[in-house]
């Protein structure tokens, strides 16, 4: 680290700014945090590293007074504290900048800075607020345009406003949740400079991230969380990317290997049945979400897509199932190119889709079980012929699907949302398996399910593979991916990195790829 | 006591409870109106009995009542059809007016035998309704402009258009009327007394719409698109195309209502011919929970309320009272629909 010359060196024996001891937080059926200790020293950038669901957000919500811990102590500057509300935490000098900014778009920067702040002068004119904002900006050396409206600003500028808002309230501990996820590299460098300056005055930053490179670049110490517990805290100078990756994802992986084919299963085909050739696509906001993706899916194989959610997973599953147009490249099914953006054509070709959010896009929650069950086959006889919809035949088919899914449905006319989450997911899975002769795209199929239901889901997927379908399994769960996939690729910022044969993979390598390190870069 | 109870919100409403809530809303409003009448020195029971007998025990009463049922079923159906795909057609009033306007144009200026002109009048009314909802439809389907506002605003344009032609260029110069056109030459044949064939046709249209929605592939796709557009897109359904057809159909039905009103009931175009039927159609649809069969019954109910207002007027009670009553029913129904989601639980009997 070359910033050592202006590092703040705390006097020996100085109490940590933040000291968490034995923090625990339980939600129904989930241990979000258990026995978490965390010391944050004055003058340091302390990185909090972990996968999704590792407990980083819960811990920070406790520190900022949004949640109350079920056990443990919070000590700030040597004094034990209890935060009943976020206001208490702000009064204690703790400020957080969330990943999704909490700014009023139609207000000016000055108005946002002064919103809900006890020191805002009553009856202040816009000009006065702007002058105060300018003074604050100079004091903290964060350049903002006081009179600009938020919706005129870039995301980097908006983040500066958020930070200034927190600092103006005399925060000494600044928590940043995935701050660079929305920034360009240049903006990220600016941010890092501002953070260094902030800590050089004896303040501290808690930096939440899963990106290894930037954690290594910005932090002084790193605490790794996994499964709600603290795994380790190290000085950054002792850390390397490989080691961090192992700590972050390297749980003891139970290799319940489901890759073995039973005798008589369909063999993996030589030619791909579905092929993406240099496909790029935009997200809903018009930004590039997928960048030059080439991916082959063969019959009777499972291709795992690893990566942290939000790196293009949603768009990839949309492109693969015809729900999203592509900006460039082409999609080839069985050797013939197919026009993207026509979901009906894709499903008729035999491409099924278990969507990531079944209630939002895989089901119509208020409609009956029968109507939802036949969503893929209502055009075919016996339900639909001659432009008709035969509800009797639909109920019969729904009964068949429910039976295969092992879901007890008392009444097929009742809304599908009355079923439990696991039952809905199994129903969707069975519905899609019926049409997925060629390919099944399964996005987070085990998300939100309990262990038994997860096992059933994975069994379904293996069953379909053995019947000869190619499967794209998008998941955040490395264990699941390693147990099922024949090949694994990692999606990072819209790029697909390596589609490695499962045998040649070690967990660290995937961890590195998920954190944005390419294999080549690491070897160099 | 109260601490022992708590509320649980259910995601879906049982249809029976929702209907009970509607009955309760009407009962509360009737009760409140009775109290108001009592305070005003009237006898609510006697007035109520008079309303029922005046409506149902004379041919006159039944005819007046029946003529009100026709437009109310149709405008209610128009709104209910729009709701199938999740759109609010607040513009049935305007589409009704333009339907009547287009029908008048044919009735006044196209010569020909009645068997030809009458279908032409109805077709013109349908087309008028479609034209009036076309821009809101395209704006909604392609740019996402909220149809609630666009359809509502076009109502005022339609009302002014009808006022203009009926007091200006199409004014009845022979009859020396200053506020309406001449009587059109053809009219809807009578079905029962003064009630024209619009009544059975309106009921058939409602039944046909219900059947198409329930038993056709198109209906399945529309219902799915209305319930969850992203699930419909996922199932490969062309949601936008369905929004366009359903909204145009909604306008068409309101336009036909206008043509029926003109050719069957009023026979000449005048300002105010719509009689708020378009707005009341929203109530008819809401009370029917957007069921196409349901609007037949709630249309009849609404006609009774309207007709009561006219009768009460002869007793020196202002029609505003009836408008207030209809508003109160809609208001209480909206509250009741929300309340129907809740169930009262005794604490300790179930665990969260």
């Amino acid at each position: 680290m070359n910033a050592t010359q202006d590092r703040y060196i705390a006097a020996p024996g100085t109490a940590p700014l933040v000291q968490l001891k034995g923090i625990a937080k339980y939600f129904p059926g989930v241990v979000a945090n258990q026995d978490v200790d965390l010391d944050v020293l004055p003058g340091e950038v302390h990185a909090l590293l972990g996968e999704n669901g590792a407990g980083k957000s819960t811990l920070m919500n406790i520190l900022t007074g949004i949640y109350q811990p079920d056990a443990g102590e919070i000590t700030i500057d040597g004094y034990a504290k209890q935060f009943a509300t976020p206001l208490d935490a702000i009064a204690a000098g703790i400020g957080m900048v969330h990943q999704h900014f909490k700014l009023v778009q139609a207000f000016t920067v000055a108005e946002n800075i002064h919103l809900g702040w006890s020191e805002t002068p009553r009856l202040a004119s816009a000009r006065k607020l702007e002058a105060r904002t300018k003074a604050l900006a100079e004091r903290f050396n964060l350049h903002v345009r006081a009179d600009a409206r938020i919706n005129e600003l870039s995301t980097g500028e908006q983040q500066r406003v958020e930070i200034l808002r927190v600092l103006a309230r005399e925060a000494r501990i600044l928590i940043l949740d995935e701050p660079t996820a929305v920034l360009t590299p240049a903006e990220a460098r600016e941010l890092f400079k501002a953070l260094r300056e902030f800590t050089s005055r004896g303040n501290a930053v808690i930096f939440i991230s899963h990106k290894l490179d930037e954690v290594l670049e910005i932090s002084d110490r790193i605490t790794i969380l996994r499964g709600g517990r603290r795994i380790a805290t190290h000085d950054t100078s002792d850390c390397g990317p490989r080691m961090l990756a192992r700590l972050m994802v390297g749980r003891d992986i139970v290799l319940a290997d489901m890759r073995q084919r039973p005798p008589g299963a369909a063999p993996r085909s030589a030619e791909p049945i579905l092929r993406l050739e240099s496909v790029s696509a935009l997200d809903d906001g018009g930004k590039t979400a997928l960048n030059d993706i080439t991916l082959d899916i063969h019959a009777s194989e499972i291709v795992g897509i690893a990566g942290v959610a939000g790196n293009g997973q949603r768009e990839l599953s949309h492109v693969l199932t015809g729900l999203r147009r592509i900006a460039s490249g082409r999609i080839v099914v069985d050797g013939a190119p197919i026009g993207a953006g026509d979901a009906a054509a894709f499903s008729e070709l035999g491409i099924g889709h278990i969507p990531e959010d079944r209630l939002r896009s895989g089901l119509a929650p208020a409609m009956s079980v029968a109507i939802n069950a036949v969503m893929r086959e209502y055009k075919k006889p016996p339900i639909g012929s001659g432009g008709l919809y035969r509800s009797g035949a639909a109920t019969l088919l729904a009964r068949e699907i429910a039976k295969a899914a092992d879901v007890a449905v008392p009444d097929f006319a009742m809304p599908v949302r009355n079923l439990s989450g696991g039952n809905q997911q199994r129903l969707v899975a069975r519905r899609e398996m019926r049409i997925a002769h060629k390919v099944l795209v399964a996005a987070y199929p085990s998300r939100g399910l309990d262990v038994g239901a997860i096992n059933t889901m994975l069994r379904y997927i293996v069953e379909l593979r053995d019947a000869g379908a190619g499967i794209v399994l998008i998941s955040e769960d490395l264990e699941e991916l390693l147990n099922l996939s024949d090949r694994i690729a990692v999606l990072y910022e819209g790029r697909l990195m390596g589609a490695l044969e499962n045998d040649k993979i070690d967990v660290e390598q995937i961890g590195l790829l998920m954190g944005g390190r390419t294999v080549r870069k690491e070897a160099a | 006591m109260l601490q022992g109870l708590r509320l649980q919100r259910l995601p879906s409403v049982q249809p029976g409870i929702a209907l009970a809530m509607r009955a309760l809303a009407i009962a509360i409003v009737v009760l409140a109106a009775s109290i108001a009448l009592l305070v005003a020195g009237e006898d609510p029971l006697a007035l109520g009995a008079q309303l029922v007998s005046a409506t149902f025990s004379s041919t006159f009463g039944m005819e007046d009542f029946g003529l009100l049922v026709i437009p109310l079923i149709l405008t209610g159906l128009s709104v209910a059809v729009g709701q199938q795909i999740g759109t609010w057609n607040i513009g049935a009033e305007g589409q009704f007016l333009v339907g009547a306007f287009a029908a008048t144009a044919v009735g006044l200026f196209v010569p020909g035998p009645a068997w030809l002109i009458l279908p032409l009048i109805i077709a013109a009314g349908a087309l008028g309704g479609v034209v009036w909802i076309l821009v809101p439809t395209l704006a909604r389907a392609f740019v996402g402009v909220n149809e609630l506002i666009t359809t509502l605003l076009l109502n005022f344009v339609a009302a002014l258009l009808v006022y203009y032609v009926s007091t200006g260029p199409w004014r009845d110069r022979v009859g020396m009327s200053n506020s309406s056109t001449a009587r059109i030459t053809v009219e809807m044949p009578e079905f029962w007394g003064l009630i024209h064939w619009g009544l059975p046709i309106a009921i058939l249209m409602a039944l046909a719409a219900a059947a198409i929605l329930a038993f056709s592939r198109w209906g399945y796709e529309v219902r799915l698109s209305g319930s969850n557009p992203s699930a419909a897109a996922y199932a490969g359904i062309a949601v936008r195309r369905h929004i366009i057809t359903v909204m145009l159909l909604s306008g068409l039905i309101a336009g036909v209502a206008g043509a029926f009103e003109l050719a069957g009931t009023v026979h000449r175009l005048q300002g105010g011919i719509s009689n708020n039927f378009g707005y009341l159609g929203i109530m008819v649809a809401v009370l029917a929970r957007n069921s196409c069969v349901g609007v037949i019954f709630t249309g009849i109910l609404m006609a009774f309320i309207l007709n009561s207002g006219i009768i009460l007027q002869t007793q020196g009670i202002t029609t505003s009272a009836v408008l207030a009553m209809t508003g109160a029913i809609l208001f209480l129904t909206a509250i009741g629909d929300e309340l129907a989601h809740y169930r009262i639980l005794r604490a300790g009997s179930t665990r969260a």
Side-chain angles (χ1 to χ4, degrees):
Chain A
M1 305 295 112
N2 55 4
T4 35
Q5 64 271 27
D6 56 357
R7 276 284 310 271
Y8 172 90
I9 309 292
T14 311
L17 261 182
V18 177
Q19 193 167 25
L20 301 180
K21 243 193 152 70
I23 296 289
K25 180 74 190 173
Y26 312 104
F27 295 111
V30 184
V31 177
N33 283 140
Q34 173 101 43
D35 293 331
V36 181
D37 296 347
L38 180 71
D39 290 346
V40 182
L41 303 173
E44 77 169 342
V45 175
H46 195 118
L48 210 51
L49 195 63
E51 293 179 286
N52 291 42
K56 297 169 299 196
S57 302
T58 308
L59 190 66
M60 289 305 106
N61 283 338
I62 288 171
L63 183 56
T64 52
I66 295 170
Y67 293 153
Q68 277 69 52
D70 293 325
E73 295 163 16
I74 302 174
T75 312
I76 307 293
D77 242 349
Y79 295 96
K81 297 269 184 186
Q82 278 189 334
F83 299 143
T85 70
L87 288 176
D88 295 348
I90 291 170
I94 297 170
M96 179 152 175
V97 174
H98 293 267
Q99 197 175 354
H100 303 284
F101 304 144
K102 302 189 184 314
L103 296 169
V104 183
Q105 291 287 320
F107 279 16
T108 64
V109 170
E111 285 163 337
N112 269 287
I113 297 277
H114 287 88
L115 197 62
W117 186 18
S118 56
E119 287 176 32
T120 302
R122 287 174 195 284
L123 299 174
S125 66
R127 203 179 316 146
K128 190 167 176 196
L129 291 185
E130 281 159 22
R132 282 174 56 95
T133 306
K134 275 208 187 83
L136 283 169
E138 262 164 44
R139 186 178 142 206
F140 294 107
N141 200 14
L142 284 167
H143 175 70
V144 294
R145 287 179 287 150
D147 58 345
R149 285 186 199 287
I150 298 296
N151 52 23
E152 299 164 2
L153 302 181
S154 73
T155 27
E157 289 173 302
Q158 293 187 23
Q159 191 180 50
R160 275 208 291 281
V161 176
E162 278 274 25
I163 293 174
L164 184 60
R165 189 161 87 152
V166 169
L167 298 189
R169 287 150 176 78
E170 303 299 335
R172 298 194 53 211
I173 301 135
L174 178 62
I175 305 170
L176 298 166
D177 188 3
E178 302 276 358
T180 59
V182 292
L183 300 184
T184 64
E187 285 174 329
R189 278 196 296 279
E190 279 288 302
L191 170 69
F192 287 178
K193 229 172 81 191
L195 295 184
R196 279 279 160 226
E197 183 157 326
F198 178 66
T199 54
S200 71
R201 293 193 296 268
N203 303 312
V205 170
I206 300 177
F207 190 96
I208 304 175
S209 181
H210 61 259
K211 292 188 192 166
L212 304 177
D213 277 336
E214 66 178 35
V215 163
L216 286 168
E217 183 187 340
I218 184 70
S219 71
D220 302 304
R221 289 197 300 155
I222 302 172
T223 291
I224 297 110
L225 293 183
R226 192 201 307 152
R229 291 161 196 269
R230 186 182 67 114
I231 297 303
T233 301
H234 290 293
D235 285 341
T236 306
S237 49
D238 300 337
C239 293
R242 277 184 166 271
M243 165 194 169
L244 289 178
R246 192 176 57 240
L247 287 171
M248 187 163 93
V249 298
R251 75 204 96 177
D252 295 331
I253 292 201
V254 190
L255 281 173
D257 199 334
M258 296 168 97
R259 287 181 293 144
Q260 294 305 319
R261 267 69 163 174
R268 199 160 152 181
S269 66
E271 289 298 309
I273 40 174
L274 177 64
R275 185 177 160 78
L276 300 185
E277 286 176 7
S278 310
V279 167
S280 297
L282 307 178
D283 64 13
D284 296 336
K287 292 204 195 77
T288 301
L290 294 178
N291 204 335
D292 194 23
I293 293 212
T294 297
L295 179 66
D296 283 352
I297 296 136
H298 301 85
S300 202
E301 76 162 346
I302 299 180
V303 180
I305 307 287
V308 177
N311 275 295
Q313 281 86 345
R314 198 173 110 83
E315 289 76 12
L316 179 64
S317 65
H318 282 181
V319 163
L320 283 169
T321 54
L323 273 170
R324 186 173 296 265
R325 294 182 183 284
I326 55 177
S328 63
R330 55 179 206 154
I331 304 173
V332 181
V333 177
D334 262 346
I338 172 172
D342 182 355
F346 276 64
S347 75
E348 271 154 34
L349 276 171
I351 297 172
H353 181 200
I354 302 178
E356 54 181 320
D357 182 349
R358 43 194 179 264
L359 267 184
R360 211 173 60 205
S361 50
L363 294 169
M367 303 291 269
S368 74
V369 177
I371 282 177
N372 277 287
V374 304
M375 212 186 263
R376 289 297 194 191
E377 292 175 71
Y378 69 92
K379 285 182 189 164
K380 289 185 228 158
I383 300 169
S385 51
L388 291 183
Y389 171 76
R390 294 190 180 80
S391 57
T395 305
L396 280 181
L397 176 63
R399 207 176 286 280
E400 200 180 318
I401 293 174
K403 195 172 162 221
D406 202 16
V407 174
V409 180
D411 174 9
F412 282 87
M414 79 180 186
V416 76
R417 69 174 153 218
N418 291 5
L419 295 175
S420 75
N423 282 345
Q424 289 173 5
Q425 181 75 324
R426 287 213 297 279
L427 210 60
V428 170
R430 278 295 175 187
R431 180 185 78 196
E432 297 306 310
M433 283 168 70
R434 285 174 60 90
I435 63 149
H437 308 299
K438 286 206 174 71
V439 174
L440 177 71
V441 178
Y444 311 101
S446 51
R447 185 184 271 176
L449 302 184
D450 61 34
V451 183
I454 291 175
N455 255 325
T456 313
M457 279 311 300
L458 302 187
R459 231 184 42 235
Y460 285 177
I461 287 172
V462 169
E463 186 187 312
L464 193 65
R465 175 203 65 197
D466 293 342
I471 288 159
V472 181
L473 175 63
I474 300 175
S475 176
E476 283 174 325
D477 188 339
L478 271 182
E479 203 172 317
E480 183 176 294
L481 288 169
L482 286 169
N483 289 347
L484 285 167
S485 312
D486 299 299
R487 289 184 298 142
I488 297 183
V490 177
L491 201 53
Y492 179 78
E493 290 185 345
R495 288 180 182 277
L496 207 55
M497 313 222 209
L500 303 163
E501 289 291 328
N502 194 341
D503 315 332
K504 300 180 185 129
I505 280 177
D506 65 314
V507 182
E508 279 177 37
Q509 209 173 354
I510 298 189
L512 287 169
L513 290 170
M514 281 167 69
R517 306 275 299 212
T518 60
V519 179
R520 189 169 11 87
K521 200 161 145 193
E522 184 54 24
Chain B
M1 251 313 264
L2 271 176
Q3 290 98 322
L5 300 173
R6 61 187 189 78
L7 287 174
Q8 185 190 30
R9 192 176 203 280
L10 303 171
S12 15
V13 175
Q14 304 259 331
I17 294 178
L19 283 181
M21 285 290 182
R22 281 163 172 67
L24 188 66
I26 293 168
I28 290 173
V29 169
V30 169
L31 191 71
S34 305
I35 293 171
L37 287 171
L38 213 55
V39 170
E42 304 275 352
D43 179 357
L45 277 180
L47 273 177
Q50 198 183 350
L51 286 181
V52 173
S53 72
T55 307
F56 297 109
S57 65
S58 75
T59 312
F60 280 145
M62 286 295 276
E63 283 171 351
D64 286 349
F65 169 64
L67 286 175
L68 287 174
V69 170
I70 302 164
L72 287 170
I73 288 178
L74 286 174
T75 53
L77 183 65
S78 165
V79 177
V81 163
Q83 279 280 288
Q84 302 299 322
I85 203 150
T87 58
W88 272 110
N89 179 13
I90 305 297
E93 181 84 4
Q95 294 135 25
F96 183 102
L97 284 166
V98 174
F101 164 79
T104 308
V106 173
L108 286 180
F109 305 116
V110 180
W115 61 264
L116 180 66
I117 294 303
L118 195 60
L120 267 184
I121 282 179
I122 294 166
L127 186 67
V130 167
V131 165
W132 214 242
I133 203 173
L134 185 64
V135 171
T137 300
L138 298 179
R140 158 72 196 249
F142 290 98
V143 215
V145 177
N146 191 332
E147 76 286 350
L148 224 136
I149 296 161
T150 49
T151 53
L152 172 68
L153 292 179
L154 281 177
N155 288 345
F156 305 112
V157 181
L160 291 171
L161 172 74
V162 167
Y163 268 111
Y164 170 67
V165 293
S166 58
T167 58
W170 293 1
R171 193 180 72 223
D172 181 10
R173 288 162 208 279
V174 181
M176 298 301 277
S177 162
N178 281 329
S179 59
S180 72
T181 64
R183 191 182 165 97
I184 61 168
T185 49
V186 291
E187 58 184 68
M188 294 282 288
E190 274 150 10
F191 166 67
W192 182 86
L194 279 177
I195 300 172
H196 55 84
W197 272 87
L199 183 65
I201 294 174
I203 290 172
L204 281 178
M205 281 170 74
L207 293 176
I212 290 170
L213 282 164
F215 304 120
S216 76
R217 178 189 300 176
W218 181 82
Y220 174 86
E221 293 188 348
V222 165
R223 284 184 292 152
L224 200 60
S225 307
S227 183
N228 185 353
S230 47
Y234 158 89
I237 293 167
V239 178
R240 177 182 290 169
R241 207 174 62 211
H242 286 317
I243 287 180
I244 294 173
T245 43
V246 168
M247 282 184 73
L248 293 184
L249 184 64
S250 172
L252 180 143
I253 295 168
V256 168
F260 280 180
E261 187 70 5
L262 181 92
T265 307
V266 183
H267 307 295
R268 49 179 88 222
L269 189 67
Q270 58 194 39
I273 188 174
S274 61
N275 201 10
N276 286 332
F277 288 132
Y279 295 114
L280 292 167
I282 299 166
M283 262 195 77
V284 170
V286 168
L287 285 175
R289 302 190 77 217
N290 300 315
S291 148
C292 294
V293 178
V295 297
I296 299 172
F297 300 99
T298 53
I300 291 171
L301 176 72
M302 188 56 56
F304 178 70
I305 295 174
L306 269 193
N307 198 35
S308 303
I310 297 166
I311 297 167
L312 284 176
Q313 221 173 352
T314 64
Q315 305 296 314
I317 293 164
T318 161
T319 40
S320 308
V322 170
L323 276 180
M325 278 177 72
T326 54
I329 291 174
L330 188 61
F331 176 71
L332 289 177
T333 301
I335 295 174
D337 270 352
E338 188 53 31
L339 288 182
H341 277 284
Y342 289 91
R343 183 167 70 176
I344 298 170
L345 290 180
R346 220 179 285 276
S349 62
T350 51
R351 296 197 42 167

